[in-house]
Amino acid sequence: MTATLRQMTMDDLPAVMKIERDTFPLDAWSEGMLRGELDDQPRTRHYVVALVGEEIVGYAGLFAAGDQADVQTIAVSETHRRAGIGGAMLAELLAEAVRRGAQSIFLEVRADNPEAQAVYDRFGFGRIGVRRRYYEDGTDAIMMKKDLNA
Ligand SMILES: CC(C)(COP(=O)(O)OP(=O)(O)OC[C@H]1O[C@@H](n2cnc3c(N)ncnc32)[C@H](O)[C@@H]1OP(=O)(O)O)[C@@H](O)C(=O)NCCC(=O)NCCS
């Protein structure tokens, strides 16, 4: 399955919000939050969607300012996982962070999300700390970092 990536626009929000709600039923971002992110694109944000044919099957977003960047979000619809799409989007976010001059990139991931942690491990992120009970349901957040200038 080959996916193509392109920049996310406001027109993509209905399809993106469907994946968002399916993927994060307990703590989905609102459409307004995502609009706010896109409003700041390209200044401090870079959001991409992944397409298989005409269908949006995933999306990911980067925050970048100064020498630091963050992975804001990443999701692939359940039926399209383990096909390299999440990895392709993460690679694009890392490349954009480098293009923007970031020295390091950070993210937070739920302690009970081994799938996402496996992706981040594979891309060379290391664990730098834990935020106890960071999420509303009491789950810890694991903070991860990758140096981009190595
Ligand atoms: C995390 C997520 C985006 C990964 O997307 P994906 O398209 O399935 O990832 P890829 O197919 O590119 O996987 C890249 C590599 O990560 C690792 N990986 C991914 N999913 C994995 C899993 N379920 N178990 C173990 N390793 C996994 C593997 O090393 C994989 O490479 P391989 O398939 O060649 O072995 C996807 O699982 C998802 O949408 N999860 C729900 C949302 C979420 O948790 N987002 C992150 C919030 S911090």
Side-chain angles (χ1 to χ4, degrees):
M1 183 179 5
T2 322
T4 54
L5 306 188
R6 65 162 171 75
Q7 191 168 339
M8 191 192 293
T9 70
M10 295 286 182
D11 291 342
D12 299 324
L13 284 177
V16 167
M17 282 305 299
K18 165 95 176 68
I19 300 173
E20 173 77 14
R21 292 191 189 103
D22 289 348
T23 305
F24 306 107
L26 300 177
D27 48 8
W29 282 11
S30 67
E31 186 168 326
M33 286 169 75
L34 261 171
R35 275 183 187 279
E37 293 287 296
L38 296 186
D39 275 341
D40 226 29
Q41 182 172 252
R43 195 178 71 87
T44 63
R45 302 294 196 280
H46 177 66
Y47 272 71
V48 295
V49 289
L51 297 142
V52 172
E54 303 277 293
E55 187 193 356
I56 291 176
V57 300
Y59 57 92
L62 177 81
F63 164 88
D67 60 4
Q68 289 196 0
D70 284 272
V71 176
Q72 298 284 83
T73 185
I74 183 164
V76 173
S77 68
E78 207 166 352
T79 47
H80 289 83
R81 288 184 194 157
R82 284 319 281 274
I85 296 171
M89 293 193 297
L90 187 57
E92 163 58 18
L93 297 193
L94 295 176
E96 181 68 14
V98 169
R99 286 193 287 269
R100 293 183 179 212
Q103 302 290 308
S104 38
I105 182 162
F106 298 82
L107 59 83
E108 284 139 14
V109 57
R110 291 176 63 101
D112 62 358
N113 188 349
E115 295 84 5
Q117 288 174 43
V119 181
Y120 302 138
D121 287 340
R122 170 105 176 235
F123 275 79
F125 283 82
R127 286 159 181 71
I128 56 166
V130 176
R131 288 188 170 146
R132 296 279 167 217
R133 304 182 61 80
Y134 178 78
Y135 296 100
E136 254 179 52
D137 66 354
T139 302
D140 294 345
I142 295 173
M143 296 156 67
M144 301 184 83
K145 177 189 178 190
K146 178 180 165 67
D147 289 328
L148 295 172
N149 53 2

